[in-house]
Amino acid sequence: MNIQDMIEKWNSFDFEGYFSKVTDGDIGNALAREHSDEYDLLALLSPAADKYLEQMARKARELTVRHFGRVIQLYIPLYLANFCSNSCVYCGFSARNRFERSKLSMDEIESNAAEIARTGMKHLLILTGESRKDTPPEYIADAVRRLRKYFPSVSIEVYPMEKDEYRMLKDAGVDGLTIYQETYDRKVYSEVHPAGRKRDYAYRLDTPARGAEAGFRWVNIGALYGLADPAKEAFMSALHAKYLQNKYIDTEISLSLPRMNEAEGGYHAKYTLGDRDYVKTMLAFRIFLPRAGITLSTRERAEFRDRLLPLGITRISAGSMTTVGGYDVHSADVPQFEVSDCRSVDEVVKAIAANGYEPVFQDWVAL
Amino acid sequence: MSDNLILGGKEFRSRFFVGTGKFSSSRLIPDVVRVSGTELVTVAVRRVNPDAGEENMLKFIPEGVTVMANTSGARTADEAVRIARLAREMGCGNFVKIEVIRDMKYLFPDNEETLAATKTLAAEGFAVLPYISPDPVICRKLEDAGAAAVMPLGSPIGTNRGIRTRELIEIIIENSNVPVVVDAGIGLPSHAAEAMEMGADAVLVNTAVATAEDPVIIAEAFALAIRAGRMAFLANARAPRKEASASSPLTGFLGE
């Protein structure tokens, strides 16, 4: 079954009805099993699992330490541009928002790179708005070639591309791809993406697979929590990750759990994923996918991020600026989202160490 | 009588190799080395950052201890070869653990690519220790390719499940002309003792030490277990059997 059919099948599943019947025994079984299946995942995401949070946390921590050790990899984002041809109702970069757009020149990219490199960061994630016209694949490839002089690892979070384009970026030095489905709920997807190429739900859903087929070493996926029912989103994204993990065995698959923050445009999230449910979701991910990476951004508050470290996180951003080229030139640009953890790289490194983990700057050999 | 291990032209008194990949801090390494008596530690080249100054992992490895670079992160023979060469340029010496993994879900090594990398690197003068799924046929080929040892997995990496591949490792030990180092899956000192009792020449432990609540104490426990297991092997300790061995034989009346 391909991912489209799989998501389609589960989209018609009666989540509420199933959740209402989950018993303590189902949760006990899900926690006891070595290899959990989709129904175990549902049990762990159900309201009945709320009172088992501590047991879930213990299992998740044990699995994480066993498979990843006590290390946390660090990365830092760099926004290259904020031009966008889509009208996502929840995003600060939406084409509907009127503000002066900007895009870094190659020299500006290098000067930002030099500033970031001074912090010791080695893993860089570059981002753009979703405009092929303003930031074509060749622009991104040129940027990557410049950035690879400073960073052994450069990954991308940009608009979906064709497999050949991803191959070209891989050859330029890109090693990883982040692409969020935003929401797995087809109806909501259509509502929150009223115009632009991003309206194509199926094309976006197949994007991580195209990245894996193009040879990216790792692919990071997820939903943006706030658009649709969080439990369903969590279930679908974990299912998607498992599908990718089983099909592309030589690609590292990881998940993110971004919660919607305030952005330009004044969209208010329709659903809230509270802290307890956020933790429950992350623990369920770890138990369902023991070897998947889990990435945490600066969307979350500093003290909350520190608490999450022992529970399943494998990769964390630090010192992030979400405006275009915010590390070098004075930037009054509109951010894509508000950063909640404004600590410097040094401060985050100290917090990781204080929690008994080793911050890893370099987890890559630049070949 | 000396019972030292000769590996890649070097003599080792300790048969305990320690991996450094999952420690909560590289600062733990000197204490682990001290209590364990290990004389060989593995270092993932992808983690070595020469620009990191005092945080450079290599700085935490005490003098006199052999560094064995590992090629973790490599997914092909070609990548493993390039990583090994890079490691030598960085000053990691010529001991290299070939680790080629394409299966990111279970982390099983790719024996075919590992063999290809071993051929190239052994010819270039590296002391090559290939990490493999325990296949006696591939072990013979690795030996022919010039491997300094073979390193079959006891169970999947990081699982701490012990020597689940015992039958195969026994065959490998029986037939190998190079040292056999059991790598991966050893979660408890008793597992390490079992490997040594079976006749393994050494064991390599990472996860079980690095992720224990007290890595220093467990490292010492492993060192003791490895020594005990080796002594049992040397004493030719009798394996357990299902039938009783009568002290008054039933056919004794027949005489000599």
Side-chain angles (χ1 to χ4, degrees):
Chain A
M1 193 184 283
N2 66 31
I3 187 62
Q4 302 282 353
D5 293 340
M6 195 180 282
I7 295 290
E8 204 59 55
K9 179 191 135 193
W10 283 98
N11 251 323
S12 55
F13 183 76
D14 176 15
F15 284 87
E16 285 78 12
Y18 191 84
F19 283 157
S20 69
K21 290 184 189 133
V22 171
T23 63
D24 289 355
D26 293 332
I27 295 166
N29 284 339
L31 284 169
R33 257 194 265 280
E34 184 149 359
H35 301 287
S36 27
D37 64 14
E38 286 78 1
Y39 293 93
D40 294 322
L41 175 62
L42 282 170
L44 297 175
L45 290 170
S46 75
D50 289 355
K51 57 181 188 284
Y52 292 91
L53 216 52
E54 187 57 27
Q55 286 98 313
M56 287 173 70
R58 286 179 193 282
K59 177 155 187 178
R61 185 177 67 164
E62 196 271 327
L63 286 169
T64 310
V65 167
R66 186 199 301 177
H67 294 305
F68 295 92
R70 294 181 201 274
V71 296
I72 302 280
Q73 192 209 98
L74 290 157
Y75 74 97
I76 190 163
L78 169 63
Y79 282 77
L80 302 185
N82 55 16
F83 287 91
C84 194
S85 57
N86 291 300
S87 302
C88 313
V89 299
Y90 50 84
C91 179
F93 288 176
S94 167
R96 296 196 304 193
N97 295 336
R98 301 269 175 233
F99 62 91
E100 199 177 329
R101 305 279 168 163
S102 54
K103 169 180 157 182
L104 298 182
S105 68
M106 288 302 143
D107 287 344
E108 285 169 335
I109 287 171
E110 276 215 53
S111 55
N112 272 274
E115 280 304 314
I116 296 170
R118 267 191 261 278
T119 66
M121 284 295 205
K122 298 281 183 189
H123 286 248
L124 184 75
L125 170 68
I126 54 172
L127 302 95
T128 63
E130 294 207 6
S131 171
R132 286 182 70 92
K133 183 167 124 311
D134 296 292
T135 49
E138 294 72 23
Y139 165 80
I140 295 167
D142 287 345
V144 171
R145 282 187 276 269
R146 294 272 190 129
L147 291 164
R148 278 298 302 272
K149 289 191 275 181
Y150 300 85
F151 305 100
S153 167
V154 177
S155 55
I156 52 168
E157 186 178 336
V158 300
Y159 50 88
M161 291 186 199
E162 296 296 328
K163 204 191 304 179
D164 287 350
E165 292 169 327
Y166 281 147
R167 280 207 188 102
M168 186 265 289
L169 289 175
K170 179 180 176 283
D171 291 343
V174 172
D175 53 50
L177 165 70
T178 288
I179 185 87
Y180 297 136
Q181 184 62 23
E182 318 291 14
T183 172
Y184 285 85
D185 185 316
R186 239 180 212 284
K187 186 165 164 286
V188 174
Y189 189 93
S190 175
E191 287 164 10
V192 298
H193 301 110
R197 195 168 172 168
K198 196 167 171 179
R199 276 185 67 73
D200 191 341
Y201 176 96
Y203 186 70
R204 196 165 186 93
L205 193 60
D206 279 334
T207 305
R210 288 197 300 279
E213 283 165 16
F216 288 138
R217 298 175 69 99
W218 60 268
V219 170
N220 182 50
I221 65 165
L224 176 58
Y225 292 85
L227 297 172
D229 181 343
K232 285 191 214 169
E233 300 283 32
F235 179 78
M236 296 295 198
S237 50
L239 205 66
H240 194 181
K242 188 171 190 178
Y243 167 85
L244 294 166
Q245 206 177 46
N246 287 343
K247 185 158 184 189
Y248 303 103
I249 63 162
D250 52 357
T251 308
E252 284 176 52
I253 305 298
S254 58
L255 278 160
S256 293
L257 297 87
R259 286 194 282 195
M260 197 173 289
N261 282 358
E262 290 302 307
E264 182 76 2
Y267 180 82
H268 295 292
K270 291 205 168 62
Y271 294 82
T272 306
L273 184 66
D275 285 356
R276 280 186 75 81
D277 281 337
Y278 187 96
V279 169
K280 187 172 76 173
T281 305
M282 201 184 82
L283 301 175
F285 281 175
R286 170 55 66 232
I287 294 166
F288 183 60
L289 298 161
R291 288 198 193 270
I294 297 181
T295 303
L296 184 62
S297 79
T298 52
R299 283 173 181 268
E300 301 301 332
R301 308 177 315 275
E303 61 279 12
F304 188 56
R305 293 204 327 151
D306 290 353
R307 298 286 186 179
L308 294 177
L309 288 175
L311 302 181
I313 299 299
T314 56
R315 200 162 169 266
I316 192 168
S317 59
S320 304
M321 306 288 277
T322 61
T323 53
V324 174
Y327 300 96
D328 174 35
V329 287
H330 172 69
S331 170
D333 274 351
V334 172
Q336 191 188 26
F337 62 87
E338 292 295 333
V339 169
S340 299
D341 180 353
C342 299
R343 291 177 295 182
S344 68
V345 172
D346 267 358
E347 287 170 318
V348 172
V349 162
K350 283 188 182 120
I352 292 172
N355 276 279
Y357 283 74
E358 176 146 68
V360 170
F361 285 94
Q362 177 162 325
D363 195 22
W364 218 254
V365 182
L367 292 171
Chain B
M1 190 182 78
S2 165
D3 179 42
N4 292 346
L5 170 66
I6 309 287
L7 194 62
K10 270 193 181 179
E11 193 168 354
F12 296 88
R13 282 165 300 171
S14 165
R15 292 170 181 271
F16 182 14
F17 301 162
V18 175
T20 58
K22 294 179 173 176
F23 281 98
S24 59
S25 167
S26 298
R27 292 174 194 284
L28 282 165
I29 294 172
D31 283 341
V32 165
V33 168
R34 181 176 49 77
V35 300
S36 67
T38 186
E39 294 165 313
L40 187 148
V41 298
T42 65
V43 170
V45 179
R46 63 187 178 141
R47 288 275 171 82
V48 176
N49 178 7
D51 308 334
E54 280 309 301
E55 295 302 312
N56 182 357
M57 188 190 283
L58 291 175
K59 289 201 158 59
F60 293 95
I61 297 171
E63 212 166 315
V65 172
T66 297
V67 171
M68 177 159 71
N70 77 44
T71 65
S72 69
R75 298 194 183 167
T76 62
D78 177 52
E79 286 181 1
V81 166
R82 287 154 71 193
I83 294 170
R85 288 173 183 158
L86 194 68
R88 189 148 70 175
E89 279 170 33
M90 287 161 66
C92 291
N94 72 331
F95 272 70
V96 63
K97 170 182 168 181
I98 304 293
E99 193 175 321
V100 182
I101 292 176
R102 291 193 60 190
D103 168 8
M104 301 319 294
K105 191 173 178 193
Y106 294 106
L107 305 181
F108 282 120
D110 183 327
N111 284 357
E112 198 181 327
E113 294 290 307
T114 302
L115 176 61
T118 300
K119 281 180 185 165
T120 305
L121 293 170
E124 291 180 13
F126 281 90
V128 184
L129 286 85
Y131 166 57
I132 48 164
S133 284
D135 171 357
V137 176
I138 208 85
C139 285
R140 185 54 60 90
K141 290 181 181 176
L142 287 164
E143 208 177 296
D144 293 344
V150 289
M151 302 210 291
L153 60 87
S155 51
I157 199 164
T159 59
N160 292 351
R161 295 168 76 98
I163 318 288
R164 296 293 177 106
T165 55
R166 185 179 173 114
E167 302 274 326
L168 291 164
I169 291 182
E170 279 175 342
I171 295 170
I172 291 168
I173 290 171
E174 184 193 343
N175 293 290
S176 185
N177 296 305
V178 293
V180 177
V181 182
V182 177
D183 183 4
I186 292 177
L188 293 168
S190 54
H191 299 152
E194 181 188 351
M196 298 308 293
E197 286 166 5
M198 285 163 60
D201 294 277
V203 296
L204 198 161
V205 185
N206 183 2
T207 306
V209 172
T211 66
E213 285 303 320
D214 191 328
V216 178
I217 291 179
I218 199 76
E220 188 172 4
F222 269 106
L224 293 168
I226 288 163
R227 192 165 143 68
R230 178 66 183 171
M231 288 170 77
F233 173 74
L234 292 176
N236 201 10
R238 296 289 179 255
R241 55 179 77 175
K242 285 183 181 158
E243 290 167 11
S245 173
S247 51
S248 303
L250 298 176
T251 54
F253 66 93
L254 294 174
E256 287 298 316

